[in-house]
Amino acid sequence: TPITLQSIGGSGVITAATLTGSSTGDTTLNGANAIGSLGDFTAANFTLNNTAALTLDGALEAGAAAGSDPVLDPETAGNITVTSAGAITQGAGGTFNTHGGNIALTGSALTLGVVDASSSSSTPNTAGDISLTATGGNVSLGGAVTGNIVTLKASNVATPTTLQSIGGSGVITAA
């Protein structure tokens, strides 16, 4: 059953097995949310604070793709920031799309597939920054990680298939 949420300058907590949705503006969920799974969600910018383990099972999109006329309706970059007290896992259907914006994921451990902050527009070598932080466990990457400046922080970093930095630098910190 769909639920419409509206908040004007307030705060609240969302407890849900799965959260899906969209907003035309920014979505900022800074309360002590307890969301188990994040399905398809679209927003100009997306920020989530979560107190439980979180699985990304859908397409998480921030920003907007170019319209039919990319000159009059160009691609717009957005940012994704997810902080979880538990682990963050990217499921088989989980994708990130920021249209060249930044991605920041912080959890007790991270198990991710492809993490790509590059732009889909015709402008080459455009990408946002990626920050992946595991506060108490491992960062495990099963696919390519592509961004301008890529930063991985964890007690143990499992070697990714590809760690690509477009025009920036990459930093891997293993304690």
Side-chain angles (χ1 to χ4, degrees):
T1 303
I3 297 173
T4 301
L5 304 174
Q6 182 177 17
S7 176
I8 301 173
S11 64
V13 173
I14 296 173
T15 301
T18 301
L19 177 68
T20 62
S22 65
S23 68
T24 56
D26 295 348
T27 296
T28 303
L29 306 171
N30 281 333
N33 302 295
I35 300 167
S37 173
L38 190 57
D40 293 343
F41 208 105
T42 303
N45 292 289
F46 182 84
T47 302
L48 172 66
N49 180 46
N50 204 50
T51 60
L54 180 70
T55 300
L56 175 64
D57 285 322
L60 180 55
E61 181 177 10
S68 59
D69 184 341
V71 173
L72 297 176
D73 189 11
E75 181 176 33
T76 305
N79 298 312
I80 293 173
T81 304
V82 177
T83 303
S84 179
I88 298 174
T89 302
Q90 185 177 1
T95 60
F96 301 98
N97 188 352
T98 60
H99 300 281
N102 301 325
I103 298 172
L105 305 175
T106 302
S108 62
L110 303 177
T111 303
L112 305 170
V114 174
V115 181
D116 188 352
S118 63
S119 169
S120 59
S121 71
S122 61
T123 305
N125 299 329
T126 302
D129 297 339
I130 297 175
S131 174
L132 306 175
T133 303
T135 58
N138 299 336
V139 173
S140 178
L141 302 170
V145 176
T146 305
N148 181 42
I149 297 174
V150 178
T151 304
L152 306 178
K153 296 179 185 176
S155 56
N156 185 23
V157 178
T159 305
T161 304
T162 304
L163 181 62
Q164 181 178 5
S165 175
I166 299 176
S169 62
V171 177
I172 298 175
T173 305

